Amino acid sequence: MKTSQQRAKDAVQPHRHPGRELKAPLRRLRGLKTRRAILRKAVNLASLEGLEGLTIGRLASALRISKSGLFAHFGSKEDLQCAVVDAARDIFVEKVVLPAYEFHGLKRLQTLCENWLSYGEKKVFPGGCFFSAASLEFDDRPGRVRDRIVELMKKWLGNLEQAARDAQLAGEIKKEVDVHQLAFEIQALAMGANWSSRLFRDQNAFRLVRGAILQRIDQATGTAQLRQ
């Protein structure tokens, strides 16, 4: 038997439904899976048609769902674009950055470069490197989308530079090498591969740039002189 005090508490506190409490996390999980699937489609579409051309209407048409269904996930075109940039970042980090972090110094730098080239060559995004295209598309367009792309590209360059600096501290790269310049040159070469591959449909672009990047790293380590 419940006491009068327990009955009073029951009257004040809302009645709980265990079934509803269990269903709520499942609904959230399904919602997250749906959002991820939408964003993956949006990333692929943006890599082919451009991020600026990606609208809620265009995406709804590609997914064959209603605009109102997408508005539940993204309130505006800019919100959608920012979410797409973040989704592309997550894929890039998974494919390119994280696998390199099991190594240190020169090996990490080499692996970052190789992973980036493989990611572009294998067309992880159907339109080539998402960030190479988005960087060119938004370089003169102020706003949240550009700010997000700038932040992420700076982090990527920072990863290259830090790996080179660690290699330099370990004696793997010559002391006189400017590691900031080295990172800049590697990124410029890599973006050139994506450009040539997409614009000219050059099947050899990544092979040529892979050789150029390895040669530049050899110059930084001094092994290029040893091979001559």
Side-chain angles (χ1 to χ4, degrees):
M1 293 291 292
K2 290 186 178 181
T3 66
S4 57
Q5 188 176 15
Q6 288 173 327
R7 285 194 295 271
K9 284 184 180 180
D10 289 343
V12 174
Q13 294 176 348
H15 182 64
R16 295 188 176 184
H17 299 276
R20 290 181 186 175
E21 292 178 359
L22 289 173
K23 288 178 182 178
L26 292 175
R27 282 197 298 270
R28 285 195 294 271
L29 182 61
R30 284 196 297 268
L32 288 173
K33 286 183 177 179
T34 300
R35 181 182 170 89
R36 280 196 293 267
I38 290 171
L39 284 173
R40 183 65 218 220
K41 178 68 175 180
V43 168
N44 289 345
L45 195 61
S47 77
L48 289 167
E49 300 181 7
L51 193 55
E52 182 58 25
L54 183 67
T55 64
I56 288 178
R58 175 69 183 92
L59 183 58
S61 176
L63 292 168
R64 297 181 180 179
I65 62 176
S66 67
K67 287 185 182 180
S68 59
L70 280 181
F71 270 116
H73 293 278
F74 315 102
S76 68
K77 175 181 176 179
E78 189 176 56
D79 289 340
L80 171 62
Q81 289 173 330
C82 287
V84 167
V85 170
D86 289 343
R89 172 206 60 202
D90 292 343
I91 295 168
F92 184 87
V93 168
E94 177 190 352
K95 300 291 184 181
V96 178
V97 179
L98 288 181
Y101 269 70
E102 64 179 282
F103 307 110
H104 300 279
L106 182 61
K107 181 63 174 175
R108 178 179 293 178
L109 178 63
Q110 292 168 332
T111 306
L112 285 170
C113 295
E114 178 55 39
N115 290 352
W116 193 101
L117 292 166
S118 294
Y119 136 95
E121 197 170 22
K122 293 175 181 177
K123 292 183 173 59
V124 171
F125 302 117
C129 176
F130 177 92
F131 289 103
S132 293
S135 296
L136 295 173
E137 187 181 1
F138 277 82
D139 56 359
D140 284 327
R141 296 185 182 189
R144 286 169 53 209
V145 180
R146 181 186 185 278
D147 292 344
R148 194 75 58 95
I149 294 168
V150 168
E151 178 188 0
L152 296 175
M153 292 308 294
K154 283 183 176 178
K155 286 183 178 179
W156 165 242
L157 283 166
N159 283 327
L160 291 174
E161 185 174 336
Q162 187 59 56
R165 181 170 286 106
D166 290 344
Q168 195 173 51
L169 290 172
E172 297 171 318
I173 285 179
K174 294 183 292 186
K175 291 180 181 179
E176 63 269 24
V177 170
D178 182 339
V179 293
H180 179 78
Q181 174 76 17
L182 177 61
F184 175 86
E185 291 177 15
I186 289 171
Q187 175 62 13
L189 286 165
M191 287 191 72
N194 189 76
W195 167 78
S196 184
S197 171
R198 300 304 302 166
L199 184 62
F200 300 136
R201 301 293 187 262
D202 184 354
Q203 300 296 318
N204 295 315
F206 287 99
R207 179 182 62 80
L208 293 172
V209 170
R210 182 177 280 105
I213 289 175
L214 289 175
Q215 184 179 47
R216 184 64 189 91
I217 292 175
D218 279 352
Q219 290 170 349
T221 60
T223 54
Q225 295 176 353
L226 294 175
R227 291 177 185 175
Q228 293 176 355

